Amino acid sequence: MSRRHELTDEEWALLQPLLPPDPPRGGRWRDHRTVVSAILFRERTGITWRDLPERFGPWKTVYQRKRRWAIDGTWMRICDTLRIDCDAEEGEDWTVSVDSSSIRAHPHAAGARHAPAVDHPKKGKQQRTNRARECLGRSRGGLTTKLHLAADRRCRPISRHTTPGQRADCTGFAQVMTGIRVQRRRGRPRTRPGHVLADKAYSSKAIRTHLRRRGITATIPVKADQAANRRKKGSHGGRPPNFDRERYKQRNTVERCINKLKQFRAVATRYDKRDYMFRATVDIATMKIWLRDLTKDPRDTT
């Protein structure tokens, strides 16, 4: 029997084979299910590590295991494995939606320490360099991180990338597309969707050229100023890009996916100092979304 915010028996049966084996130890050892449930409890509630309930054991054990698996890429590998053949239903017409969202950083997230920046001896430039290194940017609301995300039609995360919060949405598009990697039971993984949906923030010549070279159909509305400039040039402005209004109605799937991720308070507000730890937090929330989707009763429409 699982408690609220923890793994169910069905989810654990699916997740257990994907975790590293328990190492041989002579002392006390917390099993993986207890530790993973503690990590999920912390990410969902946003409490500090020291405030974890006593039933999970020492908080340092939980934190160190999350950190160790974030460094060696265990969380990312789990998400990649859960996404095996997720494009099988759509085939060549597999559609992916791309968008980004600003994440407010807690004041404690700005306390990361770095070695002095040699290229920027001045203190102000050094601080800006250190923050950018951890994907922390100064926006109107304070320190923020921008989460770039790609999601499929079932509102499940496919790829993610982080940048400082003041960066434009389009700056993370190439990295998000590069991160799309759907493994197959046989053969090479799929890295190219059939269709990409995005809003006007991604309406640029560079992005459209990038998608066209890879053979990906794009449904991106044209900005008003871009359309006006094309009309001014007359016949030299070229033909406007194709735009499918009916297909564009499906773009809200990525926004719904972002809302699912932000149900985890540690994603909605960044408490992690290091960027790799925050990316691990996003991967853990992604893992929970995929586990819930894969174990959900088909008759359940909620």
Side-chain angles (χ1 to χ4, degrees):
M1 179 66 67
S2 61
R3 301 189 183 186
R4 187 167 177 257
H5 300 329
E6 299 180 19
L7 291 169
T8 64
D9 295 337
E10 295 79 9
E11 293 172 350
W12 173 245
L14 190 61
L15 178 63
Q16 185 179 12
L18 308 180
L19 296 175
D22 291 341
R25 291 176 179 266
R28 297 179 180 179
W29 173 257
R30 286 287 173 177
D31 61 282
H32 284 334
R33 181 168 186 176
T34 301
V35 173
V36 173
S37 294
I39 293 173
L40 287 172
F41 184 89
R42 186 265 175 180
E43 311 299 9
R44 194 63 181 254
T45 58
I47 62 175
T48 59
W49 292 102
R50 293 177 180 271
D51 293 336
L52 280 173
E54 295 182 358
R55 68 176 184 271
F56 295 126
W59 67 270
K60 288 186 178 180
T61 300
V62 180
Y63 171 78
Q64 289 297 338
R65 205 167 300 182
K66 176 195 172 181
R67 181 178 180 272
R68 182 167 64 249
W69 290 352
I71 293 174
D72 62 17
T74 297
W75 299 116
M76 183 181 297
R77 286 194 296 269
I78 292 175
C79 295
D80 291 341
T81 306
L82 293 175
R83 287 192 285 258
I84 289 181
D85 290 338
C86 67
D87 62 323
E89 297 180 0
E90 302 180 38
E92 294 298 327
D93 196 41
W94 183 43
T95 302
V96 170
S97 301
V98 179
D99 203 354
S100 64
S101 179
S102 294
I103 308 297
R104 178 69 182 272
H106 193 273
H108 294 169
R113 294 293 183 265
H114 304 274
V118 178
D119 296 337
H120 303 285
K122 294 184 179 180
K123 183 177 180 180
K125 290 185 178 181
Q126 177 181 336
Q127 289 179 347
R128 290 195 294 269
T129 303
N130 293 342
R131 289 171 180 170
R133 191 178 304 159
E134 300 299 340
C135 292
L136 287 171
R138 178 68 65 177
S139 301
R140 182 176 298 178
L143 292 177
T144 56
T145 296
K146 183 159 288 187
L147 175 63
H148 305 264
L149 192 73
D152 63 1
R153 290 183 178 180
R154 296 176 62 176
C155 307
R156 300 175 299 187
I158 300 296
S159 174
R160 56 100 180 103
H161 180 66
T162 55
T163 59
Q166 81 278 5
R167 299 282 179 85
D169 294 357
C170 59
T171 57
F173 181 82
Q175 290 81 357
V176 168
M177 295 299 298
T178 304
I180 296 178
R181 185 180 180 86
V182 177
Q183 297 184 9
R184 300 185 181 278
R185 303 187 187 277
R186 296 183 62 183
R188 295 181 299 177
R190 181 173 182 176
T191 59
R192 183 174 58 86
H195 212 105
V196 170
L197 309 178
D199 58 15
K200 291 183 178 181
Y202 299 91
S203 178
S204 68
K205 184 177 180 180
I207 290 178
R208 295 184 188 274
T209 303
H210 171 78
L211 295 175
R212 192 180 303 112
R213 288 177 178 175
R214 298 188 62 189
I216 303 174
T217 305
T219 299
I220 305 175
V222 180
K223 295 181 180 179
D225 59 337
Q226 294 175 348
N229 291 335
R230 182 179 292 108
R231 288 193 298 267
K232 288 180 180 180
K233 295 180 180 179
S235 59
H236 298 286
R239 299 174 59 182
N242 295 329
F243 180 71
D244 190 345
R245 293 184 178 274
E246 290 300 321
R247 186 182 287 269
Y248 186 70
K249 294 179 181 179
Q250 303 173 5
R251 194 196 62 83
N252 65 81
T253 55
V254 65
E255 296 179 353
R256 289 154 59 190
C257 179
I258 292 174
N259 290 337
K260 282 186 177 182
L261 288 174
K262 286 191 174 183
Q263 290 178 4
F264 293 80
R265 298 190 67 181
V267 177
T269 301
R270 173 176 169 173
Y271 300 102
D272 301 298
K273 295 180 181 180
R274 301 295 187 183
D275 179 53
Y276 73 88
M277 288 292 285
F278 179 68
R279 283 187 273 113
T281 299
V282 177
D283 290 338
I284 292 168
T286 298
M287 177 191 71
K288 179 62 174 177
I289 291 174
W290 275 91
L291 288 173
R292 184 177 184 275
D293 182 84
L294 295 174
T295 59
K296 184 173 61 176
D297 189 343
R299 296 171 295 181
D300 186 8
T301 58
T302 59

